[in-house]
Amino acid sequence: MEQRMAKKLTACILSVSMVFGGMAAGVPKEAQAAAKKSVTVTEQAELNQALKSSRVSKITVKTKKAVSLTVKKGDYKDKTLVLSGKKITLQNTGRFQKISIHDAKQFTEKASNNTFSVTDPNTLKLTADKNAKISEVRLNSRSEKVVIAADGQVRSLAVNSAGSCVLKGSTKKTVAVKVASAGKGAKVKLAVPSFVKSNANATITASAGAEGAVIQAMHAGVKVSVINGSKGNITLMDANGNQKKLTSGKRAFSTDLASDAKNKQNKVTFDLNYDTAGARQT
């Protein structure tokens, strides 16, 4: 009797094992690997291992410690790199699908064609090394301590929040800056050649290095305050194409250009009528 019960129990256990084993075997490899595709690392050795793995699609560097990390040259276009730690310093020479900086101290870019998303609420310095080419920096942070140093090329800067940032560096190539409607109240300080298109009320300050910059308000209701602290002239434009040259030390608002243009037109008409009347009297 006992032997029969033991045989039945064994058969039952084997049956259950086969069922669960079959379920695991029937799961596609992609689904089995999915849980392993996002990893969190805290040090260089772990970062190196994650970079080498073809099964990892997202690497998050997260630590409260002060660490200096390096990503060597490589093609990581199937991976997203995330930084989350206000004491992290990282030097990158790799090509990623996207780089997101949630929090970091300093990021030095030495690669080409990477796109950055910055939500860092604290102090951050993002540097494009002299041979680097950053495709775009999307600034989604309300921090007032974000510095973008364009010693290499930064093709575009998208300001999508009401924070403050400084765009400086030794580059001679013009940076395309776009202030989105969500960037209402943003403050941007320019110290490199720039062409700014603003879709929201914002304050743009040009300093040494931004001589020749152009700042345009993209809609009639947008009020852009422009301060020229550079050593040369800059140009302020409104949505209708009205322009005004600002000499060093001057300040103006984009909303004043329409009235300035109207006053100028009225003056031209007055002068023409006066000259015509004078000619008739003669």
Side-chain angles (χ1 to χ4, degrees), residues 174-245:
T174 299
V175 179
V177 180
K178 182 179 179 180
V179 180
S181 55
K184 183 178 180 180
K187 297 177 181 178
V188 182
K189 184 176 181 179
L190 308 173
V192 297
S194 309
F195 193 123
V196 181
K197 293 185 177 181
S198 184
N199 291 279
N201 297 353
T203 300
I204 311 295
T205 302
S207 56
E211 291 79 9
V214 178
I215 298 96
Q216 182 177 17
M218 301 305 293
H219 303 288
V222 171
K223 184 176 183 179
V224 181
S225 172
V226 177
I227 303 167
N228 185 10
S230 75
K231 297 178 181 179
N233 295 339
I234 63 173
T235 302
L236 174 60
M237 299 174 60
D238 66 11
N240 295 319
N242 297 312
Q243 300 184 20
K244 183 174 184 176
K245 290 285 185 182

Side-chain angles (χ1 to χ4, degrees), residues 29-31 33-39 54-59:
K29 290 182 179 180
E30 293 80 3
K36 299 181 181 180
K37 284 189 174 181
S38 180
V39 298
S54 60
R55 299 176 67 182
V56 173
S57 61
K58 181 180 179 181
I59 303 171

Side-chain angles (χ1 to χ4, degrees), residues 87-140:
K87 296 180 180 179
I88 297 173
T89 297
L90 190 143
Q91 181 175 286
N92 175 58
T93 320
R95 175 76 167 88
F96 287 89
Q97 184 180 70
K98 185 176 72 170
I99 298 174
S100 295
I101 303 178
H102 295 174
D103 204 358
K105 180 181 179 181
Q106 186 168 333
F107 193 109
T108 301
E109 175 70 348
K110 291 193 169 187
S112 294
N113 303 318
N114 278 320
T115 296
F116 290 78
S117 173
V118 178
T119 55
D120 196 322
N122 301 304
T123 301
L124 170 69
K125 184 178 182 182
L126 170 58
T127 301
D129 195 64
K130 61 180 181 179
N131 294 318
K133 293 181 181 178
I134 294 178
S135 292
E136 184 178 36
V137 177
R138 298 167 186 165
L139 188 59
N140 302 300

